[in-house]
PDB file of all heavy atoms in Angstrom:
ATOM      1  N   VAL O   1      13.985   5.843  -4.494  1.00  0.00           N
ATOM      2  CA  VAL O   1      15.258   6.321  -5.013  1.00  0.00           C
ATOM      3  C   VAL O   1      15.228   7.838  -5.084  1.00  0.00           C
ATOM      4  O   VAL O   1      14.195   8.433  -5.400  1.00  0.00           O
ATOM      5  CB  VAL O   1      15.610   5.691  -6.378  1.00  0.00           C
ATOM      6  CG1 VAL O   1      15.884   4.202  -6.241  1.00  0.00           C
ATOM      7  CG2 VAL O   1      14.527   5.926  -7.403  1.00  0.00           C
ATOM      8  N   VAL O   2      16.346   8.448  -4.739  1.00  0.00           N
ATOM      9  CA  VAL O   2      16.462   9.903  -4.750  1.00  0.00           C
ATOM     10  C   VAL O   2      17.666  10.290  -5.594  1.00  0.00           C
ATOM     11  O   VAL O   2      18.619   9.512  -5.727  1.00  0.00           O
ATOM     12  CB  VAL O   2      16.610  10.463  -3.311  1.00  0.00           C
ATOM     13  CG1 VAL O   2      15.376  10.150  -2.486  1.00  0.00           C
ATOM     14  CG2 VAL O   2      17.841   9.933  -2.621  1.00  0.00           C
ATOM     15  N   PRO O   3      17.624  11.481  -6.178  1.00  0.00           N
ATOM     16  CA  PRO O   3      18.753  11.907  -7.011  1.00  0.00           C
ATOM     17  C   PRO O   3      20.059  11.910  -6.217  1.00  0.00           C
ATOM     18  O   PRO O   3      20.095  12.384  -5.076  1.00  0.00           O
ATOM     19  CB  PRO O   3      18.368  13.334  -7.426  1.00  0.00           C
ATOM     20  CG  PRO O   3      16.877  13.385  -7.294  1.00  0.00           C
ATOM     21  CD  PRO O   3      16.548  12.481  -6.141  1.00  0.00           C
ATOM     22  N   PRO O   4      21.122  11.384  -6.800  1.00  0.00           N
ATOM     23  CA  PRO O   4      22.418  11.396  -6.112  1.00  0.00           C
ATOM     24  C   PRO O   4      22.827  12.824  -5.737  1.00  0.00           C
ATOM     25  O   PRO O   4      22.662  13.746  -6.530  1.00  0.00           O
ATOM     26  CB  PRO O   4      23.390  10.813  -7.142  1.00  0.00           C
ATOM     27  CG  PRO O   4      22.527  10.041  -8.088  1.00  0.00           C
ATOM     28  CD  PRO O   4      21.208  10.764  -8.126  1.00  0.00           C
ATOM     29  N   GLY O   5      23.294  12.987  -4.527  1.00  0.00           N
ATOM     30  CA  GLY O   5      23.773  14.292  -4.085  1.00  0.00           C
ATOM     31  C   GLY O   5      22.691  15.248  -3.626  1.00  0.00           C
ATOM     32  O   GLY O   5      23.000  16.341  -3.167  1.00  0.00           O
ATOM     33  N   ASP O   6      21.425  14.877  -3.722  1.00  0.00           N
ATOM     34  CA  ASP O   6      20.321  15.745  -3.321  1.00  0.00           C
ATOM     35  C   ASP O   6      19.992  15.478  -1.855  1.00  0.00           C
ATOM     36  O   ASP O   6      19.181  14.619  -1.521  1.00  0.00           O
ATOM     37  CB  ASP O   6      19.101  15.503  -4.209  1.00  0.00           C
ATOM     38  CG  ASP O   6      17.987  16.504  -3.973  1.00  0.00           C
ATOM     39  OD1 ASP O   6      17.929  17.111  -2.877  1.00  0.00           O
ATOM     40  OD2 ASP O   6      17.157  16.669  -4.889  1.00  0.00           O
ATOM     41  N   VAL O   7      20.644  16.223  -0.977  1.00  0.00           N
ATOM     42  CA  VAL O   7      20.504  16.018   0.457  1.00  0.00           C
ATOM     43  C   VAL O   7      19.078  16.271   0.917  1.00  0.00           C
ATOM     44  O   VAL O   7      18.547  15.555   1.775  1.00  0.00           O
ATOM     45  CB  VAL O   7      21.505  16.918   1.223  1.00  0.00           C
ATOM     46  CG1 VAL O   7      21.312  16.812   2.724  1.00  0.00           C
ATOM     47  CG2 VAL O   7      22.926  16.566   0.832  1.00  0.00           C
ATOM     48  N   THR O   8      18.426  17.256   0.339  1.00  0.00           N
ATOM     49  CA  THR O   8      17.044  17.575   0.722  1.00  0.00           C
ATOM     50  C   THR O   8      16.116  16.421   0.375  1.00  0.00           C
ATOM     51  O   THR O   8      15.288  16.011   1.196  1.00  0.00           O
ATOM     52  CB  THR O   8      16.577  18.873   0.038  1.00  0.00           C
ATOM     53  OG1 THR O   8      17.470  19.932   0.397  1.00  0.00           O
ATOM     54  CG2 THR O   8      15.162  19.239   0.447  1.00  0.00           C
ATOM     55  N   ALA O   9      16.249  15.874  -0.830  1.00  0.00           N
ATOM     56  CA  ALA O   9      15.407  14.740  -1.235  1.00  0.00           C
ATOM     57  C   ALA O   9      15.692  13.520  -0.363  1.00  0.00           C
ATOM     58  O   ALA O   9      14.758  12.805   0.026  1.00  0.00           O
ATOM     59  CB  ALA O   9      15.636  14.409  -2.708  1.00  0.00           C
ATOM     60  N   LEU O  10      16.948  13.298  -0.040  1.00  0.00           N
ATOM     61  CA  LEU O  10      17.304  12.170   0.817  1.00  0.00           C
ATOM     62  C   LEU O  10      16.695  12.351   2.207  1.00  0.00           C
ATOM     63  O   LEU O  10      16.123  11.411   2.767  1.00  0.00           O
ATOM     64  CB  LEU O  10      18.822  12.032   0.914  1.00  0.00           C
ATOM     65  CG  LEU O  10      19.343  10.931   1.842  1.00  0.00           C
ATOM     66  CD1 LEU O  10      18.836   9.552   1.390  1.00  0.00           C
ATOM     67  CD2 LEU O  10      20.859  10.959   1.902  1.00  0.00           C
ATOM     68  N   SER O  11      16.800  13.551   2.752  1.00  0.00           N
ATOM     69  CA  SER O  11      16.250  13.834   4.068  1.00  0.00           C
ATOM     70  C   SER O  11      14.739  13.600   4.087  1.00  0.00           C
ATOM     71  O   SER O  11      14.210  12.976   5.012  1.00  0.00           O
ATOM     72  CB  SER O  11      16.565  15.277   4.460  1.00  0.00           C
ATOM     73  OG  SER O  11      15.990  15.585   5.713  1.00  0.00           O
ATOM     74  N   ARG O  12      14.055  14.083   3.055  1.00  0.00           N
ATOM     75  CA  ARG O  12      12.597  13.873   2.967  1.00  0.00           C
ATOM     76  C   ARG O  12      12.258  12.386   2.868  1.00  0.00           C
ATOM     77  O   ARG O  12      11.354  11.896   3.550  1.00  0.00           O
ATOM     78  CB  ARG O  12      12.029  14.609   1.758  1.00  0.00           C
ATOM     79  CG  ARG O  12      11.859  16.065   1.951  1.00  0.00           C
ATOM     80  CD  ARG O  12      11.046  16.668   0.798  1.00  0.00           C
ATOM     81  NE  ARG O  12      11.296  18.088   0.755  1.00  0.00           N
ATOM     82  CZ  ARG O  12      11.778  18.748  -0.275  1.00  0.00           C
ATOM     83  NH1 ARG O  12      12.052  18.114  -1.402  1.00  0.00           N
ATOM     84  NH2 ARG O  12      11.979  20.040  -0.216  1.00  0.00           N
ATOM     85  N   ALA O  13      12.958  11.677   2.000  1.00  0.00           N
ATOM     86  CA  ALA O  13      12.675  10.250   1.797  1.00  0.00           C
ATOM     87  C   ALA O  13      12.929   9.460   3.078  1.00  0.00           C
ATOM     88  O   ALA O  13      12.153   8.561   3.419  1.00  0.00           O
ATOM     89  CB  ALA O  13      13.526   9.702   0.651  1.00  0.00           C
ATOM     90  N   LEU O  14      13.999   9.784   3.789  1.00  0.00           N
ATOM     91  CA  LEU O  14      14.282   9.097   5.047  1.00  0.00           C
ATOM     92  C   LEU O  14      13.232   9.430   6.104  1.00  0.00           C
ATOM     93  O   LEU O  14      12.817   8.554   6.874  1.00  0.00           O
ATOM     94  CB  LEU O  14      15.679   9.448   5.549  1.00  0.00           C
ATOM     95  CG  LEU O  14      16.830   8.870   4.739  1.00  0.00           C
ATOM     96  CD1 LEU O  14      18.160   9.446   5.216  1.00  0.00           C
ATOM     97  CD2 LEU O  14      16.832   7.354   4.787  1.00  0.00           C
ATOM     98  N   GLY O  15      12.780  10.679   6.131  1.00  0.00           N
ATOM     99  CA  GLY O  15      11.721  11.070   7.059  1.00  0.00           C
ATOM    100  C   GLY O  15      10.443  10.295   6.811  1.00  0.00           C
ATOM    101  O   GLY O  15       9.801   9.795   7.746  1.00  0.00           O
ATOM    102  N   VAL O  16      10.067  10.173   5.543  1.00  0.00           N
ATOM    103  CA  VAL O  16       8.872   9.396   5.188  1.00  0.00           C
ATOM    104  C   VAL O  16       9.070   7.931   5.552  1.00  0.00           C
ATOM    105  O   VAL O  16       8.180   7.291   6.118  1.00  0.00           O
ATOM    106  CB  VAL O  16       8.538   9.557   3.679  1.00  0.00           C
ATOM    107  CG1 VAL O  16       7.475   8.567   3.247  1.00  0.00           C
ATOM    108  CG2 VAL O  16       8.101  10.988   3.384  1.00  0.00           C
ATOM    109  N   ALA O  17      10.247   7.389   5.249  1.00  0.00           N
ATOM    110  CA  ALA O  17      10.527   5.981   5.553  1.00  0.00           C
ATOM    111  C   ALA O  17      10.442   5.718   7.053  1.00  0.00           C
ATOM    112  O   ALA O  17       9.872   4.706   7.483  1.00  0.00           O
ATOM    113  CB  ALA O  17      11.898   5.583   5.014  1.00  0.00           C
ATOM    114  N   LEU O  18      10.983   6.617   7.864  1.00  0.00           N
ATOM    115  CA  LEU O  18      10.926   6.450   9.318  1.00  0.00           C
ATOM    116  C   LEU O  18       9.502   6.564   9.839  1.00  0.00           C
ATOM    117  O   LEU O  18       9.084   5.788  10.707  1.00  0.00           O
ATOM    118  CB  LEU O  18      11.839   7.462  10.005  1.00  0.00           C
ATOM    119  CG  LEU O  18      13.330   7.213   9.827  1.00  0.00           C
ATOM    120  CD1 LEU O  18      14.138   8.407  10.344  1.00  0.00           C
ATOM    121  CD2 LEU O  18      13.750   5.931  10.518  1.00  0.00           C
ATOM    122  N   ALA O  19       8.743   7.518   9.307  1.00  0.00           N
ATOM    123  CA  ALA O  19       7.347   7.662   9.719  1.00  0.00           C
ATOM    124  C   ALA O  19       6.541   6.422   9.317  1.00  0.00           C
ATOM    125  O   ALA O  19       5.725   5.918  10.103  1.00  0.00           O
ATOM    126  CB  ALA O  19       6.740   8.924   9.105  1.00  0.00           C
ATOM    127  N   ASP O  20       6.768   5.940   8.101  1.00  0.00           N
ATOM    128  CA  ASP O  20       6.082   4.722   7.640  1.00  0.00           C
ATOM    129  C   ASP O  20       6.443   3.528   8.523  1.00  0.00           C
ATOM    130  O   ASP O  20       5.581   2.720   8.857  1.00  0.00           O
ATOM    131  CB  ASP O  20       6.444   4.404   6.190  1.00  0.00           C
ATOM    132  CG  ASP O  20       5.768   5.320   5.187  1.00  0.00           C
ATOM    133  OD1 ASP O  20       4.919   6.143   5.594  1.00  0.00           O
ATOM    134  OD2 ASP O  20       6.099   5.211   3.988  1.00  0.00           O
ATOM    135  N   ALA O  21       7.716   3.427   8.905  1.00  0.00           N
ATOM    136  CA  ALA O  21       8.145   2.310   9.749  1.00  0.00           C
ATOM    137  C   ALA O  21       7.449   2.379  11.101  1.00  0.00           C
ATOM    138  O   ALA O  21       7.032   1.348  11.645  1.00  0.00           O
ATOM    139  CB  ALA O  21       9.662   2.327   9.919  1.00  0.00           C
ATOM    140  N   ALA O  22       7.308   3.581  11.657  1.00  0.00           N
ATOM    141  CA  ALA O  22       6.655   3.740  12.963  1.00  0.00           C
ATOM    142  C   ALA O  22       5.177   3.366  12.884  1.00  0.00           C
ATOM    143  O   ALA O  22       4.620   2.809  13.831  1.00  0.00           O
ATOM    144  CB  ALA O  22       6.811   5.175  13.450  1.00  0.00           C
ATOM    145  N   GLU O  23       4.561   3.647  11.751  1.00  0.00           N
ATOM    146  CA  GLU O  23       3.125   3.376  11.574  1.00  0.00           C
ATOM    147  C   GLU O  23       2.850   2.021  10.920  1.00  0.00           C
ATOM    148  O   GLU O  23       1.706   1.571  10.897  1.00  0.00           O
ATOM    149  CB  GLU O  23       2.491   4.478  10.714  1.00  0.00           C
ATOM    150  CG  GLU O  23       2.556   5.852  11.339  1.00  0.00           C
ATOM    151  CD  GLU O  23       1.671   5.958  12.575  1.00  0.00           C
ATOM    152  OE1 GLU O  23       0.578   5.365  12.583  1.00  0.00           O
ATOM    153  OE2 GLU O  23       2.095   6.636  13.533  1.00  0.00           O
ATOM    154  N   GLY O  24       3.878   1.412  10.331  1.00  0.00           N
ATOM    155  CA  GLY O  24       3.677   0.149   9.615  1.00  0.00           C
ATOM    156  C   GLY O  24       2.844   0.326   8.359  1.00  0.00           C
ATOM    157  O   GLY O  24       2.037  -0.534   8.002  1.00  0.00           O
ATOM    158  N   CYS O  25       3.076   1.449   7.684  1.00  0.00           N
ATOM    159  CA  CYS O  25       2.303   1.725   6.473  1.00  0.00           C
ATOM    160  C   CYS O  25       3.263   2.068   5.328  1.00  0.00           C
ATOM    161  O   CYS O  25       4.475   2.041   5.484  1.00  0.00           O
ATOM    162  CB  CYS O  25       1.319   2.861   6.719  1.00  0.00           C
ATOM    163  SG  CYS O  25       2.109   4.439   7.101  1.00  0.00           S
ATOM    164  N   GLY O  26       2.707   2.388   4.173  1.00  0.00           N
ATOM    165  CA  GLY O  26       3.521   2.760   3.019  1.00  0.00           C
ATOM    166  C   GLY O  26       4.522   1.682   2.667  1.00  0.00           C
ATOM    167  O   GLY O  26       4.190   0.496   2.638  1.00  0.00           O
ATOM    168  N   GLN O  27       5.750   2.091   2.441  1.00  0.00           N
ATOM    169  CA  GLN O  27       6.812   1.153   2.063  1.00  0.00           C
ATOM    170  C   GLN O  27       7.130   0.173   3.197  1.00  0.00           C
ATOM    171  O   GLN O  27       7.689  -0.881   2.961  1.00  0.00           O
ATOM    172  CB  GLN O  27       8.068   1.926   1.654  1.00  0.00           C
ATOM    173  CG  GLN O  27       9.140   1.068   1.045  1.00  0.00           C
ATOM    174  CD  GLN O  27      10.420   1.834   0.767  1.00  0.00           C
ATOM    175  OE1 GLN O  27      10.579   2.984   1.155  1.00  0.00           O
ATOM    176  NE2 GLN O  27      11.350   1.180   0.089  1.00  0.00           N
ATOM    177  N   SER O  28       6.741   0.521   4.417  1.00  0.00           N
ATOM    178  CA  SER O  28       6.993  -0.362   5.564  1.00  0.00           C
ATOM    179  C   SER O  28       5.777  -1.170   5.979  1.00  0.00           C
ATOM    180  O   SER O  28       5.787  -1.796   7.037  1.00  0.00           O
ATOM    181  CB  SER O  28       7.485   0.469   6.759  1.00  0.00           C
ATOM    182  OG  SER O  28       8.793   0.932   6.508  1.00  0.00           O
ATOM    183  N   SER O  29       4.741  -1.168   5.154  1.00  0.00           N
ATOM    184  CA  SER O  29       3.582  -2.011   5.473  1.00  0.00           C
ATOM    185  C   SER O  29       4.000  -3.469   5.328  1.00  0.00           C
ATOM    186  O   SER O  29       4.894  -3.795   4.535  1.00  0.00           O
ATOM    187  CB  SER O  29       2.412  -1.705   4.542  1.00  0.00           C
ATOM    188  OG  SER O  29       2.670  -2.194   3.236  1.00  0.00           O
ATOM    189  N   PRO O  30       3.376  -4.352   6.083  1.00  0.00           N
ATOM    190  CA  PRO O  30       3.734  -5.770   5.963  1.00  0.00           C
ATOM    191  C   PRO O  30       3.632  -6.284   4.524  1.00  0.00           C
ATOM    192  O   PRO O  30       4.482  -7.047   4.076  1.00  0.00           O
ATOM    193  CB  PRO O  30       2.736  -6.468   6.883  1.00  0.00           C
ATOM    194  CG  PRO O  30       2.366  -5.426   7.887  1.00  0.00           C
ATOM    195  CD  PRO O  30       2.390  -4.121   7.136  1.00  0.00           C
TER     196      PRO O  30
END
């Protein structure tokens, strides 16, 4: 979860989520 309206935090969180999805780790681990 990121603060509402915080575009920078959203961008960072989405970047991490996409990287995790590509690697199958973190929040995207099985």
Side-chain angles (χ1 to χ4, degrees):
V1 293
V2 297
D6 188 337
V7 175
T8 302
L10 177 60
S11 178
R12 282 191 200 122
L14 290 172
V16 169
L18 290 170
D20 285 354
E23 297 292 323
C25 64
Q27 189 185 8
S28 289
S29 72

